[in-house]
Amino acid sequence: MSYSEHHQAIRDMAAKFSNVELAPRAHDIDKEGRIPKEVLGKLAENGFLGIFVPEAYGGAGMDYVSYSILVEELSRGCASTGVLVSAHASLATWPIMYFGTDAQKAKYLPKLASGEMIGCFCLSEPNAGSDAGALTTVAEDKGDHYVIRGMKNWITNGREAGLAIVFAKTRKTENHKGISAFIVETNSPGFSVIKVEDKLGIKGSSTAQLAFDDVKVPKSNLLGQLEQGFKIALATLDGGRLGIASQALGIGEAAFRYAKSYAKERVQFGAPIANLQAIQFMLADMSTKLAASRLLILDGSLKKDQGKSYTKEGAQAKLFASEAAMWISTKAIQICGGNGYTKEYPVERHFRDAKITEIYEGTSEIQRLVIAATELKS
Ligand code: CAA
């Protein structure tokens, strides 16, 4: 696919970073369950943590197409690092850029862009996953501040986060109507990390359960309008889903490249297995699914940059790219055979990493609901 010179330059820079700094460390990051501080420092130094934050706030001032390319390339090298950047940028930084007051932007965007604060997005709860509107965390109005009480689950970056976008009910309702959004600094008394999940994949990325035990939040940290929190969450997730689609694409691309080079080297029946049509057909389908994913992501990202509606496109990109990544990584193991099933070969990690892309930021089933709802409205 041909990108503009500018976007191609961003891809080249991100690819170089990914090849040099991430791919050689990805096995250890997976094994140790942690992204080294040194890598976080390098992400910040390169401007990746503030990729679309305006330059006035210390960011790189780039567009969403650039962000999608960046997340794809980082995830190709290390899917855990890819999602750290994606959740930090699209779920925590973007809502402040879009819904924040001037004072909130001035206070928090430079810290997020520089990596002084890593961001997370606290919507899900033990009993409110796909049905996000059913959340029960409350924010009580105490005059000049709110007090937040509740539990949040499966929070990407929960271990590292200095800032959390927290959704809580300011009015008790059975549905989403009473939800408001808040910017919470995680050094506030009452905030704690209850546990970090032990997961199938993306093991270097922290997925945490967080407790908010009467966390005091100044009124000035209400994000957007009172009781508009659910819309802020869903609008934020529209962009987040393009990030996860890009992560899935990066994982799929990594699995494809490995399987292709393996097929050219691996000799059976006296010739490389790449000569066999059975293998060629798998490679052809992998390549096609990757190309289609990339086009869907580009379409959604361009629409976002142009200020057009992209809810459906974001959901389509995530649905397609995540299911493609799962399929591609499964076939990559098949091509690598017994070797592919061992931890000495990276394709088993790609397979484990791919699975979550069909789940977080809205399962494949939720994406289908979002796509159908948008189609039926038109
Ligand atoms: N942008 C802005 N507003 C939107 C919107 C969008 N994309 N989509 C819907 N809305 C508005 C609607 O217009 C409606 O407004 P009104 O109250 O004025 O009528 C309101 O939001 C509620 O919409 P719905 O009636 O469609 O809501 P619903 O309760 O039926 O839910 C859903 C719809 C698609 C199932 C939604 O709940 C959803 O997306 N669920 C999945 C949640 C999800 O993705 N969770 C992942 C959490 S984050 C994560 O996993 C990663 C991490 O790091 C924490």
Side-chain angles (χ1 to χ4, degrees):
M1 188 198 302
S2 57
Y3 283 92
S4 68
E5 237 175 75
H6 166 68
H7 288 134
Q8 190 55 47
I10 287 158
R11 183 177 290 285
D12 293 345
M13 178 186 63
K16 190 170 165 208
F17 180 90
S18 188
N19 294 342
V20 173
E21 303 292 350
L22 300 183
R25 289 182 164 107
H27 176 81
D28 289 346
I29 287 176
D30 176 64
K31 207 167 153 195
E32 285 156 24
R34 198 173 273 277
I35 298 164
K37 278 220 161 69
E38 192 194 344
V39 170
L40 282 176
K42 289 184 181 199
L43 291 169
E45 260 169 47
N46 280 275
F48 296 158
L49 296 175
I51 174 112
F52 52 58
V53 173
E55 289 178 35
Y57 295 109
M62 294 190 188
D63 56 12
Y64 223 76
V65 172
S66 307
Y67 161 77
S68 302
I69 293 170
L70 173 71
V71 174
E72 177 197 333
E73 288 298 335
L74 296 180
S75 303
R76 185 176 54 73
C78 171
S80 293
T81 306
V83 75
L84 179 141
V85 171
S86 180
H88 167 81
S90 59
L91 295 187
T93 308
W94 185 83
I96 297 179
M97 264 171 65
Y98 199 78
F99 297 103
T101 61
D102 287 346
Q104 288 169 347
K105 290 184 205 172
K107 183 168 181 190
Y108 293 114
L109 291 180
K111 292 181 183 174
L112 289 163
S114 68
E116 185 184 331
M117 276 180 161
I118 294 294
C120 70
F121 178 83
C122 301
L123 178 66
S124 304
E125 298 183 1
N127 295 313
S130 292
D131 185 8
L135 64 85
T136 58
T137 294
V138 291
E140 249 180 71
D141 189 337
K142 297 283 189 187
D144 66 339
H145 65 273
Y146 290 95
V147 165
I148 298 186
R149 196 174 313 116
M151 185 85 83
K152 295 290 178 179
N153 262 40
W154 309 296
I155 307 302
T156 303
N157 296 348
R159 179 177 57 197
E160 297 79 13
L163 177 149
I165 304 294
V166 181
F167 298 89
K169 282 195 173 155
T170 38
R171 181 164 59 94
K172 203 164 183 246
T173 54
E174 290 305 314
N175 58 20
H176 63 272
K177 297 279 188 196
I179 298 173
S180 300
F182 299 90
I183 303 171
V184 178
E185 297 186 23
T186 63
N187 59 7
S188 309
F191 172 88
S192 59
V193 178
I194 301 283
K195 66 166 173 173
V196 176
E197 305 290 351
D198 185 8
K199 311 188 293 294
L200 174 72
I202 56 155
K203 283 173 162 284
S205 154
S206 69
T207 305
Q209 185 174 47
L210 306 176
F212 294 80
D213 291 325
D214 291 340
V215 176
K216 212 170 146 180
V217 179
K219 279 244 159 115
S220 56
N221 278 27
L222 173 73
L223 181 63
Q225 302 296 310
L226 193 70
E227 297 185 9
Q228 291 300 301
F230 198 59
K231 290 184 186 186
I232 293 174
L234 293 185
T236 302
L237 282 165
D238 285 345
R241 287 167 183 168
L242 287 168
I244 299 307
S246 305
Q247 185 204 18
L249 173 58
I251 296 168
E253 181 70 39
F256 169 64
R257 286 191 197 181
Y258 196 88
K260 186 169 64 167
S261 63
Y262 183 91
K264 290 203 256 183
E265 299 281 317
R266 174 74 172 167
V267 173
Q268 289 291 279
F269 307 107
I273 60 170
N275 289 4
L276 302 169
Q277 275 194 342
I279 301 293
Q280 289 174 6
F281 286 180
M282 282 193 255
L283 293 172
D285 287 349
M286 287 170 160
S287 162
T288 306
K289 284 176 194 282
L290 291 169
S293 301
R294 202 166 275 118
L295 282 168
L296 284 170
I297 294 166
L298 181 63
D299 182 40
S301 303
L302 277 172
K303 288 206 165 91
K304 182 166 168 64
D305 283 333
Q306 291 161 356
K308 295 181 181 159
S309 162
Y310 63 97
T311 298
K312 182 182 77 175
E313 289 76 3
Q316 286 177 328
K318 182 182 183 289
L319 172 64
F320 189 87
S322 62
E323 294 194 346
M326 198 64 242
W327 188 89
I328 290 165
S329 56
T330 307
K331 294 298 180 199
I333 294 182
Q334 195 66 20
I335 289 173
C336 297
N339 284 325
Y341 197 65
T342 71
K343 288 200 184 284
E344 267 178 59
Y345 286 70
V347 284
E348 70 82 36
R349 171 165 47 80
H350 301 321
F351 170 85
R352 288 186 288 105
D353 288 345
K355 183 60 205 170
I356 190 61
T357 65
E358 294 181 320
I359 298 172
Y360 57 17
E361 300 197 29
T363 60
S364 289
E365 292 69 27
I366 289 291
Q367 307 312 322
R368 288 184 168 92
L369 286 180
V370 171
I371 296 161
T374 323
E375 286 294 354
L376 290 168
K377 258 189 244 156
S378 64

